[in-house]
Structure formats: structure tokens, C-alpha cells
Amino acid sequence: MKAMIHEGKDGLDGLQMKEVPEPSLKPDEVKVRIRAAGMNRRDLAVITKRHKAEDPLLIPGSDAAGVVEEVGGSVTKFKPGDEVVVNPGIGWEVNSEAPPEGFEIVGFPYQGTFAEYICQSEKFIEPKPEHLTFEQAGVLSLAALTAYRALFTRGKLKKDQTVMLPGIGSGVLTFALKFAKAAGARVIVTSRSEKKLQEALELGADRAVKTESDWNKGLEEEQVDLLLESIGAATFTQSLGIVKKGGTIVTFGATTEDEVTINIRTFFYGQYNLLGSTMGSAEEFRHMLSFVKQHEILPQLDKVFSLEEYREAFEYLENTKNFGKIGISISNS
């Protein structure tokens, strides 16, 4: 089968197209012909930081939607011809406070979705929402699940609360914006890009401010109940300073430096909550899909590349040009 693979060199130089054997089907697995896949910043981190030139061949990619080609002998949920989405989290079936031991994500260390086929346990395959195209469904899974858990499981967002999303533009945060508005929340966003601020307002954001501005001066009258922090050191102090006393920060990433410094006395006097979050369980994945179907939410699809345009796609992601998700078109049949 045709696949985008990473081997032989570090970083983007290790990417190439290659014919590789189709994955073999186990009794509990579903073989999916992938129609479209989605890119995440995790893919960039995998090929630049985690997967090295001397490691075995790796197919990156975590998101995918496609059509069931074949099912294993013990599979009961699906049949050939079913339209499905891939849940990229492996080994986390029911909701829990943290991922269980052995939880992994498709695309590293397991082979990923930037290929014509993938085989996955039926536990981590779900029916594709009917209102989504393959390209829309192909970019859904990882970012939408991350946003859903951060907002609702960890952040416990409620109607009429105010949520703040620093650094709007990523797949996760565009999903968080749409999910929060669907839940009846008020949403404030920040970005260094005027274009992205305007795009967020067009999607329904209630307020939009520059990331490098003084948030407390621009948002004096706001009471931020919940803030999703994914930038790290560059914004964390501002984030802590804008959340109301007793409010909550949920962090699920760090696009800048990992280590942050806080005034612990300010923190405990303010009664703040700081929570970590990552991905989600298969149970939450199904709840997220139900939420998406109920509210007919569409992923914010920024641009779609062909599989052969892998270099351009990774460079586009690396330069943070996207507002929303980046898709990879793989098969039309």
C-alpha cells in the first residue's frame, strides 16, 4: 500500500512516500481503507523529537476516516462498507481520572493513519457522523476528543459560564470554541494574528484580544470561569491572572517552554484549580461524537493536502499557518 513514512533521517528530511505491506488483520480488528486523515502538532513533535533516524520505519498520523474493507472473525460491530472514524487512543476504554497504564496513541509507537489502510481493534473504531464528509470526519478525532475532555470532563463547563482560549487557531481550540458555544457558554479568545481573531469572531467568539496585550486591562469586566491553557510559559502567568478567584485552568499542551513559575501564595489565596488533561477514553470519544451529531458541529477545516504533498503539509503545520485543522486526502474509493 502507499504510505507516508518516516525513516533514515531526523525531522522533516526523514519523510518520504513509500510502498509498504498492508497491515495484517487480527480476529478483533477492523481493516479500514482510509479516505482522509488529519494532522496534529503531535505529528510534528513525533518526527522531530521522538522518532529518530535509526528507529524502524514509522507511519505517522493519528486521525482518519474511511470505509471498512474487511473485519476479523470476532468482530460484531461493523461490516464491510461501513463508514467509520478511527479513535487514535489505544488502551483507554472507560472514563477515568487519568489514562491507564499502557495507553498509547496511533502514529507513535503504533503505525499511523497516513496510509491507504489501517487495522484497529473494533473497540477503537466508531461510526462516522452522517452529517460529516470524509475530509471533515478525517480531521475530527484527536483534537475534538482533547477539547471535549478538557472542557467538560475536566473543566466541567456549564451553560452561561465564560471560557477563555488563549492562542486560538489550533484544531483543539477551534473545536473548543464550537463546543463551548454549543453548550451555551461565553467565549473569549486571544491570538497574535488579527486574521485569526477575526476568524474566531466569525465562528462565534464573544471577545477577541491580542495575546501580547494586557488581558486584565482589556477584560476588566469579564469573569473567566474556565481557561484552556495550551501555550505554556509564554502565557501561563497571564492565564492565571485573568481567571476569577476559584476559577479553573485546564492545561493540555505547551507549544512554548514546558516549565512555568507561579506565585504559590497568590495561587492558594485565590483558591484556583489547575488541572491536567490529555486526549480521552473511548467512552468519552463516543460522548463527543454524540455531541457533534446533536449540534451538527463541523470541524474547522483550514486546508487539505494530498498524501503526495506531505512536505508542504508538514511545513504548513510547522509554520502555524492554519486556523483549524489540516487534512490529508488519501483515497477517493
Side-chain angles (χ1 to χ4, degrees):
M1 68 175 180
K2 181 171 60 175
M4 179 203 307
I5 63 97
H6 188 259
E7 69 170 349
K9 297 181 181 179
D10 289 335
L12 270 63
D13 290 337
L15 290 171
Q16 58 181 292
M17 291 292 298
K18 193 169 184 177
E19 286 289 331
V20 300
E22 292 183 14
S24 57
L25 186 67
K26 297 176 182 177
D28 67 333
E29 289 185 336
V30 175
K31 184 177 184 180
V32 179
R33 174 183 281 274
I34 298 174
R35 294 282 299 274
M39 299 192 74
N40 297 281
R41 292 205 72 85
R42 179 180 190 272
D43 302 321
L44 186 61
V46 163
I47 67 165
T48 57
K49 298 177 182 178
R50 301 175 69 183
H51 188 261
K52 301 301 181 184
E54 60 271 18
D55 294 339
L57 175 154
L58 175 73
I59 301 172
S62 300
D63 292 333
V67 178
V68 175
E69 181 95 352
E70 186 180 356
V71 299
S74 64
V75 170
T76 59
K77 284 175 55 178
F78 300 102
K79 64 184 185 303
D82 287 346
E83 298 181 352
V84 296
V85 291
V86 172
N87 175 358
I90 304 297
W92 190 358
E93 295 186 44
V94 298
N95 199 13
S96 56
E97 293 184 354
E101 192 72 27
F103 170 69
E104 297 288 0
I105 300 173
V106 169
F108 185 84
Y110 297 113
Q111 300 292 6
T113 58
F114 295 159
E116 292 183 295
Y117 294 98
I118 190 170
C119 288
Q120 183 106 305
S121 167
E122 66 174 335
K123 296 176 182 178
F124 303 106
I125 297 286
E126 297 296 336
K128 179 179 78 67
E130 293 181 0
H131 73 286
L132 299 182
T133 66
F134 279 110
E135 288 180 343
Q136 290 167 337
V139 303
L140 179 73
S141 297
L142 189 147
L145 179 57
T146 300
Y148 186 87
R149 179 175 171 84
L151 279 177
F152 300 117
T153 306
R154 302 293 283 154
K156 303 190 183 307
L157 180 67
K158 298 179 178 61
K159 183 180 178 181
D160 296 326
Q161 287 188 325
T162 295
V163 60
M164 189 161 175
L165 307 173
I168 191 68
S170 71
V172 176
L173 292 186
T174 52
F175 277 119
L177 169 56
K178 294 189 177 193
F179 289 176
K181 294 304 296 181
R186 180 175 173 79
V187 180
I188 303 169
V189 302
T190 84
S191 176
R192 296 180 182 276
S193 164
E194 289 287 358
K195 182 174 182 291
K196 290 183 179 181
L197 291 177
Q198 185 57 42
E199 288 175 309
L201 290 170
E202 291 170 3
L203 286 187
D206 297 279
R207 296 284 300 273
V209 298
K210 294 299 287 289
T211 300
E212 60 271 32
S213 67
D214 185 338
W215 301 349
N216 283 299
K217 286 185 178 179
L219 302 168
E220 300 96 330
E221 74 281 14
E222 298 286 356
Q223 290 284 302
V224 177
D225 301 282
L226 172 65
L227 184 146
L228 300 194
E229 172 58 61
S230 61
I231 300 175
T235 55
F236 191 85
T237 299
Q238 283 252 76
S239 294
L240 185 57
I242 197 66
V243 174
K244 74 176 188 181
K245 290 184 177 180
T248 299
I249 294 177
V250 176
T251 176
F252 61 87
T255 55
T256 61
E257 293 85 358
D258 292 350
E259 294 187 8
V260 299
T261 301
I262 64 172
N263 183 315
I264 195 65
R265 189 172 299 277
T266 300
F267 185 83
F268 65 70
Y269 270 128
Q271 311 289 297
Y272 299 109
N273 306 292
L274 177 60
L275 305 174
S277 188
T278 185
M279 287 281 290
S281 66
E283 182 180 359
E284 285 167 304
F285 190 75
R286 289 188 288 272
H287 291 166
M288 178 273 292
L289 290 176
S290 295
F291 187 86
V292 166
K293 288 186 283 188
Q294 176 188 349
H295 297 282
E296 296 189 333
I297 292 170
L298 302 178
Q300 191 64 23
L301 186 56
D302 179 276
K303 192 169 183 176
V304 177
F305 294 87
S306 69
L307 190 60
E308 289 77 10
E309 294 174 311
Y310 60 88
R311 182 81 187 202
E312 294 94 323
F314 268 90
E315 289 175 348
Y316 192 79
L317 178 66
E318 185 177 40
N319 293 324
T320 320
K321 292 183 178 180
N322 57 300
F323 182 83
K325 294 292 296 182
I326 301 168
I328 301 290
S329 178
I330 294 179
S331 170
N332 294 318
S333 62

